Every structure is written in C-alpha cells, then in structure tokens.
C-alpha cells in the first residue's frame, strides 16, 4: 500500500494545476486518468510481492477488454482476420496489428448502439456524432482518420453490403456510404476483430485503412435476455432496448443461433435560440402571425440534436456438417424508422395572398420540417466448405440490400401553396436503394517444403454485382422548389445504375527459419466501369525472443468510388440557403469542368511495429504507419453562385449547372440575402496520413479481487500533399475551400488515449472504469461576413463508469454512465456566431461543433438487466 500512497500524494499535488488548465468539469474527468494509471502502476508493482503461500481471492476470468490489449486468455484466442492459414492465428502471433472485442466487452461499453460501443474501445475508430439530413439517421465511423469508405466490414469473413444513405453536406464524414453496423445487434456477436492495417490485396477494394470482421455467435444451446434504459443527464435521448439470443442444436455439427433486438431512442435538443424568432424587425414583418406564441419560444429551432429512431433487427447463424462438407448460412433483417428536425421556418415561408390582397399563413407560428426515413436492410449468406485432397475450400454467395424510403413531414411546398392555396404537409421524396451480390471461392493448403514451417498457399475468386438506384418522389414533393427542407428526387435524377467486379487473389505465407514469418499477397481486380488494377502486400514478423518481436507491412491499395458517390444527387433547402449535391456523372457536371466523372483511388501503406511482453502477464504493442492516398475522392467545399444575396463574380457556370440539372430554387433565398450553390465529389487531392497505435494490457490478481488493466492510444495526422488545380469554370473559386481542407486535416482528434480497469470480485461484483482523453480537433468555417473562423475543441477527458452485481450466476444488474461528469465540447467560435446573429441567420442556432468526437449531448446514464440461460 506504500506504493499507492506515494502515487496519491503526487496526484494531489497536480490537482490545482490541472484544474486551472482544463476547468472544473473537465478537471473532474481528467483527474481519473492519472489516478487510474498511477493506481495501476502501483498495483502492478505490488502484485508480485505477495508471499507464495498467500492464496488470492477466487475470481472468475474477467471479461476481456480490447484483446490486442487484453488478458492472457484473449492473447491466446484464435483470430481469422488478416490470415489465410487454416485454423487461423493466435492474437499474440499476428504479423499485423489487430484488436479483438469480446461480446462482454461490447456490452460493458454501455453505449446505445454498436458503432458507439466500438468507438469507446478502439482509439483509432472514431464515430460520427451528428450528420446533415439523412446522415443524422445513419451515422458512420472511420479508422485512422480516413474516410468511412476506407474500412471494409465483414461478417463471418464475408463482405457486408453498404448503406444506401450517403453522408453529404460537408464535415469529416462526407461521402461515407459504408456498411451500417447498427443493423447488427450486439447480442448476436461473439467477437469483433479489428485489423488496423491496409488489406486491400487480401480483401479487395475499401480495405485501405483496415477491416472490421464481425464474428457471430454459434452456440447450440443457452441464450441471453437483456434490457436497458438510458437517457442524457440534461434531457432527451431516452433509449429503451430489449434483445434476446438463443441457440439450438446438438453442437458444432448442427446448430442455429438466433438473435432479435428492439431499440427505441428519442430525440435531443442542444441548440441556441434562433435569431429570426427574437429579432423585433423580423417578427414585425409578418402580419397576422405571432412566432412568440410557439410553446418552445425562443428555442423554436430544434435542428441540433439526435434524431428519433425506432429499430427492429433479427439475425441468424446456422451450420450443419454432412460428412466431409459443412453447410453454413447466416443473415439479418432489420427495419428502422427515423426522423430528425430540419431548420425552423418562419411563418412567411408558407403564405398565400388571395384576390383581395389578404395574406394568410399556413403555419402562423412557423414550422419545423422533419426528414424521415423508413429503411429496410437485408443480408443473407449461404455456403459450403470442406477439405478435398488436402485443399481447404470455401464456396459462398452473399446478397445484401438496403432500401431507404425518404419523406419530408410537417412541411409544405411553399410554391404549390402560393400558386394554389393548398399543399400536402407530408411528402414521399422517393428512395435510395443499394444492393450487392457477392460470390466467392477460397482455396488453401499447406505444403511441407523443408523449412521451419510449412508453406501456406491460398487462392481465391470473387465476383460482385452492385446496384444503386434513385427512385422518383411524388409530384407534390418535386413541384417547382419542392417540399420545404428536402425536395423529392426529380424525374431527371431518378436512375438505376449497376456495375460488375471480378477479382482473383493469391496469398503465400511461410516460416523459412525459426521465429521469422513472411507473407505475400497479390490481387487482380476488374471493374466494368473502371478497368483493371493489380495490388500487393508484403508482411513480415520476427520474434527475437518470447518477450520481443518486430513486425511490418508494405502494401498498395485500390478503392473504386461507391455507386452512391457517383450517382447520388439531392437538393437541400434551408431558410436562407439552397445547395444542390450534384452527381459527378450528371451531364451538368461538365459545365463545372468536371464532366469526366470519378476515377479510382490508389494508395500505398507502410507500417512497422513491435510486440513486447515485459513481464509474464504484461503485453504491449506499438505500431507506426503511413498511408498515402492519391486521387482521393472528397466532397468539394460550397461552390457559390449567390453568397449573401449577391451573385458571385465568375460563377455563371455554377448557376448554369443548377439549371441544367433541372433544379428550380426558391427565388426568395436570394432576395432574402441567402446563399445558393453546388457541392460535388471529385478526385482532387493527395493525402498522407501518419500515426501510431499503442496498446498495453496487464491482468492482475490481488487479495481483493482481479483487475484487468489496459491502456491504448492512437496518434494520427493527415496532411494534404497535393491539390489538383480547380477548373476554370468555377470562376476562381477553389474546389476545396478552407472548410473542406480542414475537414480532412484537422476535424478528427490528433490523438486519443484510453485507460481502463475492469474489476471482478468473486464473480459477483464488477466495476468498469474507463478514461478517454481526446486531443484537439478543429474546423475552418466561413461566416456571413465572408471571413473564415476557427472552431476548436480543446483536449477533453471523458470518464465512463459501470457498476454490476450478479445476485445469481444467471442474473446481472448494471448501472453506468458514459461521460460521467457531463462534459460538453467547446462551443462555436463566438465571433462566428456573432456574424450569424448580425445577419439574422438561422445558423446561429448551432451551439456546438458537429465534428465533436464525443458528441454534444453531455452525460448518458443507464441501467441494464441481463439474464443468461
């Protein structure tokens, strides 16, 4: 205990300085980090001092944390991601950095969904907290600060289809159209293997930053029932979730494992008052209306907050062994209904003047349009595997489809109402549909070649057919300027687009001498719309001793643009802005000098790391990496034809592109001093990302129980090394303005550090304490005065705590808090907000930066009940 006292004295001396630096609330959270780390070091140092005849308290094995940082048991766990070796590899033997999250670890995170759970546990995995339009209802995530599209998602080793919902309207997640992880219930998962290394040569396009492989439960008996309820400390976000898992069968030779989950989450609201509703001159300009009578006045604009989401998901995983052949199948079906608020509209946005000159307002207090989705997600895989003449074979086919029906509700078509005196309030805006059908054959065998280990050879074929469809909205949603906030998909934009991909790969792995592992992979891919490419990967690992090993990889990668990036189009209309998301393949793109469409990205990935076992129980890994992406596909900045009501000089081509695309924009936006423009995806940049991942774990057994200690960290920095020249047709505007560039280089934290301790006493009492420190992040944003302002979130600590009790071996009761001390990110730059207020602009509603890596809702507190059988 002397060690613990010494640490405590040091911590007390630091308290005042830390409080002055970070403020009281952040200090409370940050104080947990040195306490957690210091206590861990002291207890680790004291653990071996126990006399040999002192028996430790009997405890069950604790739930593993991040397994690359996990306890001894999880280091021995077999992984299948990143290797073609039959039977897989142990985590401790992997030549590439990989982290494993167990089912218990995911559950103990206490997060309301799977994406948030992974983000809490893996420092290099950053989750989106808020998005524009439908992106707020289908949040995405990214590895190593790259695009969400640079991480490949697998389920049981098979490619998962992508969402139909594309993230647009700027921000660091713009263009994200990866697999929606929240359609996979946590109760269905046995473990998640996160490979943080370039793996395109092994798995194909998308795997530039890494691979997330979700392994489903395959138990043939028993099950789990659990329920959770949680909400934000400051209100909103009420979440109720129920899930059940059960296994049937006689064993591994014949099993069926089923899971269902129902999750309901209510909205939150964290915005400022809308200056349009508080400006006396603005209010006085609307006769026969009174916005001040709104029951929420002056907080009439609810756009900054979580959406309302209702999700039902079911999954299955089944297998049957018939002689030498194993038949298997797994899949999921989910439905999600969600809606989120758009910007508040003043009463004048829905006015009608009759023949006598009398003006009436459809919404006398103004109105809050909402964008709604009714989404269905389907995935099914069937396959067979076995061994013939020493060759392991696996033949499978996977079909996945995501359909997002879009609606605008509690709105109005202002042009239709002004022209006819009538308009629907709810609109069918059409649908976005994405599907993939992938068929693959994998072969592998080992040859004894007289070296220290056998030569493992693997070959494979893969064929994939992809479809992306835009379905037209109803006539009222597209009449003139369309439904207010989100017009329907126009007839000219509706389309069904497809492509085919064929790939062949070879992978060779050998141990030529003791302690040295070498692996080489090569892959050829042909896309029907992009032609062919060949990429490769070299991997090596040398174990100098059981306590120290070096590992490294070099690889090239390839990513074809998603069909959504090529063909997605939409029009977003705010109270004082209208922007067209123009499809790169649209004919109107040629008017911007971007008529060639998109081409594939190319990448080069280097990594070098070490695996260390300083003591029998302690494991540490450190991996540094560099990823260069050429011709990177990035959403442009806002390309203005009108800024603050004034035509932008030289931007005639932008106006022409809007007209050529068939868009009719509300003329009152320009008259009211608003902005009109276009955004488009383009291959305009080359980026270089450098960083490092550190993971340390130590499982300790003491007189008072067992504590699994772990620390993990990620440092990540992206620089733009080349910007292609902007087309002359843009009239001097940069294709990538300061906002678009900062979204790539600065909007993700430069570093993140996780400390965690999982305490287990007598398999009855459990405490999970996790301290996460987020580095600085920032974004440049243009104000209404035409100048750029920097929004910044300083270094911020977040504390998570869960307490659990098992009164019986089958029943577990838990209470916990994510963001225990209710910490919020720094607010927007006050000078930027003032430009909005001066212009009476609804943008002043935004209180917190949308790029915050830990959200802007404050603390989330929850309780859980789980019963296993």
């Amino acid at each position: 205990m002397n060690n613990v006292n010494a640490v405590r004295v040091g911590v007390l001396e630091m308290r005042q300085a830390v409080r002055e630096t970070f403020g009281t609330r952040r200090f409370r959270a940050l104080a947990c980090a040195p306490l957690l780390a210091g206590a861990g070091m002291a207890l680790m140092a004291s653990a071996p001092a126990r006399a040999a005849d002192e028996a430790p308290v009997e405890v069950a094995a604790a739930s593993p944390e991040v397994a690359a940082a996990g306890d001894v048991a999880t280091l021995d766990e077999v992984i299948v991601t990143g290797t073609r070796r039959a039977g897989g590899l142990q985590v401790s033997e992997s030549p590439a950095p990989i982290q494993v999250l167990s089912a218990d670890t995911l559950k103990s995170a206490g997060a309301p969904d799977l994406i948030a759970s992974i983000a809490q546990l893996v420092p290099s995995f950053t989750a989106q907290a808020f998005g524009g339009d439908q992106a707020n209802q289908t949040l995405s995530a990214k590895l190593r600060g790259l695009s969400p599209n640079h991480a490949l998602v697998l389920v049981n080793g098979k490619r998962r289809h992508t969402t139909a919902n594309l993230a647009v309207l700027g921000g660091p997640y713009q263009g994200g159209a990866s697999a929606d992880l929240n359609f996979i219930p946590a109760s269905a998962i046995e473990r998640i293997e996160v490979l943080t290394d370039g793996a395109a040569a092994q798995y194909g396009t998308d795997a530039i930053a890494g691979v997330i492989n979700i392994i489903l439960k395959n138990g043939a008996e028993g099950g789990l029932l659990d329920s959770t309820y949680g909400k934000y400390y400051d209100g909103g976000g009420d979440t109720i979730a129920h899930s059940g898992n059960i296994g049937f069968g006689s064993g591994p030779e014949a099993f069926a494992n089923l899971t269902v989950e129902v999750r309901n989450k209510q909205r939150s609201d964290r915005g400022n008052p809308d200056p349009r509703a508080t400006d006396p001159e603005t209010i006085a300009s609307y006769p026969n209306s009174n916005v001040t009578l709104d029951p929420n006045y002056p907080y009439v604009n609810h756009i900054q907050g979580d959406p309302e989401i209702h999700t039902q998901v079911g999954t299955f995983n089944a297998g049957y062994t018939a002689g030498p052949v194993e038949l298997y199948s797994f899949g999921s079906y989910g439905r999600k209904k969600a809606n989120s608020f758009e910007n508040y509209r003043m009463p004048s946005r829905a006015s009608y003047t009759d023949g006598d000159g009398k003006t009436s307002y459809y919404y006398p207090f103004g109105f809050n349009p909402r964008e709604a989705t009714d989404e269905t997600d389907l995935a099914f895989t069937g396959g067979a595997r076995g061994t013939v003449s020493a060759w392991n074979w696996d033949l499978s086919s996977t079909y996945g489809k995501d359909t997002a029906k879009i609606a605008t509700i509690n709105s109005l078509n202002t042009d239709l109402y002004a022209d006819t005196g009538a308009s629907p309030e709810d609109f069918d805006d059409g649908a976005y549909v994405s599907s993939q059908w992938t068929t693959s054959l994998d072969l592998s065998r080992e040859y004894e070649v007289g070296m220290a280990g056998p030569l493992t050879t693997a070959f494979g074929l893969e064929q994939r057919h992809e479809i992306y469809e835009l379905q037209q909205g109803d006539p009222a949603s597209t009449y003139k300027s369309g439904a207010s906030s989100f017009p329907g998909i126009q007839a000219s934009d509706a389309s069904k687009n497809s492509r085919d991909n064929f790939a062949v790969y070879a992978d060779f792995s050998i141990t030529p001498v003791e302690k040295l592992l070498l692996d080489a992979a090569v892959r050829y891919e042909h896309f029907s719309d992009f032609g062919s490419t060949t990429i490769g990967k070299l991997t090596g690992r040398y174990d100098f001793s059981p306590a120290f090993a070096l590992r490294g990889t070099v690889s090239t990668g390839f990513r074809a643009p998603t069909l959504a990036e090529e063909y997605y189009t939409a029009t977003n209309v705010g109270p004082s802005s209208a922007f067209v998301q123009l499809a790169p393949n649209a004919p109107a793109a040629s008017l911007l000098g971007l008529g060639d469409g998109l081409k594939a990205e190319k990448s080069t990935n280097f990594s070098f790391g070490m695996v260390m076992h300083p003591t029998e129980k302690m494991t540490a890994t450190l991996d540094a990496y560099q990823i260069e992406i050429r011709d990177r596909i990035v959403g442009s900045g806002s390309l203005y034809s009108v800024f603050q009501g004034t035509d932008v000089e030289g931007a005639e081509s932008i106006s022409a592109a809007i007209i050529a695309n068939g868009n009719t924009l509300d003329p009152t936006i320009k008259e009211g001093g608003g902005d009109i423009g276009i955004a488009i995806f383009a291959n305009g940049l080359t980026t270089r990302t450098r960083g490092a991942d550190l993971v340390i774990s130590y499982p300790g057994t003491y007189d008072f129980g067992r504590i699994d200690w772990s620390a993990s960290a990620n440092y990540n920095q992206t620089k733009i090394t080349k910007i292609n020249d902007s087309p002359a047709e843009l009239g001097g505007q940069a294709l990538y303005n300061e906002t678009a560039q900062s979204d790539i280089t600065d909007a993700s934290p430069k570093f993140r550090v996780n400390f965690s301790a999982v305490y287990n006493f007598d398999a009855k009492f459990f405490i999970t304490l996790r301290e996460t420190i987020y580095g600085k992040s920032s974004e440049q944003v243009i104000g209404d005065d035409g100048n750029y302002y920097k929004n910044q979130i300083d270094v911020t600590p977040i504390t998570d705590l869960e307490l659990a009790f098992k009164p019986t071996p089958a029943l577990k009761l838990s209470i916990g808090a994510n963001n225990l001390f209710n910490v919020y990110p720094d607010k927007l730059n006050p000078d930027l907000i003032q430009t909005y207020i001066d212009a009476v602009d609804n943008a002043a509603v935004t209180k917190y930066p949308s790029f915050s890596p830990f959200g802007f809702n404050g603390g989330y507190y929850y309780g859980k009940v789980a019963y296993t059988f």
Side-chain angles (χ1 to χ4, degrees), residues 450-698:
M451 295 188 178
L455 170 67
T456 300
T457 61
F459 304 94
L461 303 172
E462 182 178 274
Q463 193 278 333
R464 185 168 67 255
H465 182 67
E466 301 177 68
I467 298 175
Y468 189 73
E469 183 178 1
L470 292 82
Q471 298 178 355
Q472 183 180 350
D474 66 35
S477 73
T478 59
Y479 178 80
K480 289 190 176 180
S481 61
S484 186
S485 84
F486 194 86
I489 298 172
Q490 304 174 82
S492 59
D493 292 331
S495 63
K496 187 173 184 179
N497 312 281
S498 66
R499 72 177 176 207
D500 291 286
N501 164 257
F502 173 78
V504 57
Y505 74 84
D507 197 330
F508 303 93
S509 179
I510 193 168
T511 304
V513 296
E514 289 291 339
K515 303 180 181 180
L516 176 63
L517 173 64
L518 299 175
D519 191 290
V522 62
R523 188 181 188 93
Y524 168 84
E525 293 208 27
H526 175 76
F527 282 80
S528 59
D529 53 350
F530 288 102
S532 304
T533 188
T534 301
I535 53 179
K537 180 177 182 178
L538 297 174
T539 304
R541 169 172 170 151
Y542 187 82
D543 289 77
F544 291 88
S545 71
F548 183 77
L550 291 178
R551 62 189 181 189
T553 66
V554 56
S555 64
T556 57
F558 168 89
R559 186 182 80 84
T562 64
L563 290 177
E565 286 174 309
E566 291 186 88
Y567 294 102
Y568 178 95
T569 184
T571 303
N572 181 273
V573 181
S576 58
S577 65
F579 277 88
V580 176
Q581 182 69 43
L582 187 64
N585 282 1
S590 62
L591 298 176
L592 304 177
L594 299 168
D596 295 332
L598 298 177
K599 58 184 178 180
E601 301 174 339
K602 299 291 183 68
S603 67
T604 304
N605 191 316
F606 298 93
S607 71
F608 180 79
M610 57 188 73
V611 181
M612 297 162 284
H613 300 275
T615 69
E616 181 182 355
K617 292 184 178 182
M618 181 180 290
T619 298
T621 63
L622 175 63
D623 293 277
Y625 56 86
Q626 175 178 292
I627 306 167
E628 182 185 69
I629 303 177
R630 299 173 295 281
D631 292 321
R632 183 166 170 177
I633 300 169
V634 179
S636 71
S638 299
L639 303 173
Y640 296 97
S641 62
V642 175
F643 182 76
Q644 294 295 289
T646 302
D647 290 328
V648 177
E649 185 177 354
E652 293 80 7
S653 61
I654 297 175
S655 298
I658 294 173
I659 296 171
N661 199 52
N663 297 94
T664 301
L665 300 183
D666 188 345
T668 63
I669 292 174
K670 180 179 179 180
E671 295 167 3
D675 305 329
I676 297 175
I678 274 180
I680 189 171
F681 292 103
N683 299 91
L685 303 172
T686 295
T687 64
R688 185 188 65 209
T689 299
R690 288 175 173 170
D693 291 314
L694 172 68
V695 182
I696 304 172
S697 71
Y698 181 86

Side-chain angles (χ1 to χ4, degrees), residues 128 131-135 165-171 173-176 486 568-570 572 581 679 681:
Q128 183 181 17
D133 288 345
Q134 286 86 28
N165 241 333
L166 183 72
V168 293
L169 296 184
Y173 297 87
Q174 185 174 20
F486 194 86
Y568 178 95
T569 184
N572 181 273
Q581 182 69 43
F681 292 103

Side-chain angles (χ1 to χ4, degrees), residues 22-30 794-797 823-826:
F22 292 97
T24 301
R25 182 173 290 181
R26 279 186 174 150
F27 163 74
R28 293 172 185 160
L30 187 66
D794 289 326
V795 175
T796 306
V823 176
Y824 280 81
D826 294 296

Side-chain angles (χ1 to χ4, degrees), residues 189-268:
I189 298 172
E190 180 68 27
R191 68 183 187 276
I192 297 178
E193 300 176 359
V194 183
L195 175 66
T196 50
D197 193 30
Q202 295 165 294
Y203 296 102
T205 183
D206 302 345
I208 290 176
V211 176
I212 299 170
N213 190 6
I214 299 172
I215 310 299
L216 301 178
K217 291 180 178 178
N218 60 1
E221 61 181 7
L224 168 72
L225 297 172
D226 69 9
S227 294
T228 181
Y229 172 76
K231 65 180 299 183
Y232 296 122
Y233 180 80
D234 291 326
D238 297 52
T239 301
I240 300 176
H242 309 286
S243 67
N245 171 267
I246 189 169
F248 302 94
S250 57
E253 298 80 15
F255 72 91
N257 195 275
L258 309 177
T259 305
V260 295
E261 179 182 83
V262 177
R263 186 170 62 250
N264 299 297
K265 181 180 180 181
Q266 299 300 316
R267 68 177 186 88
S268 64

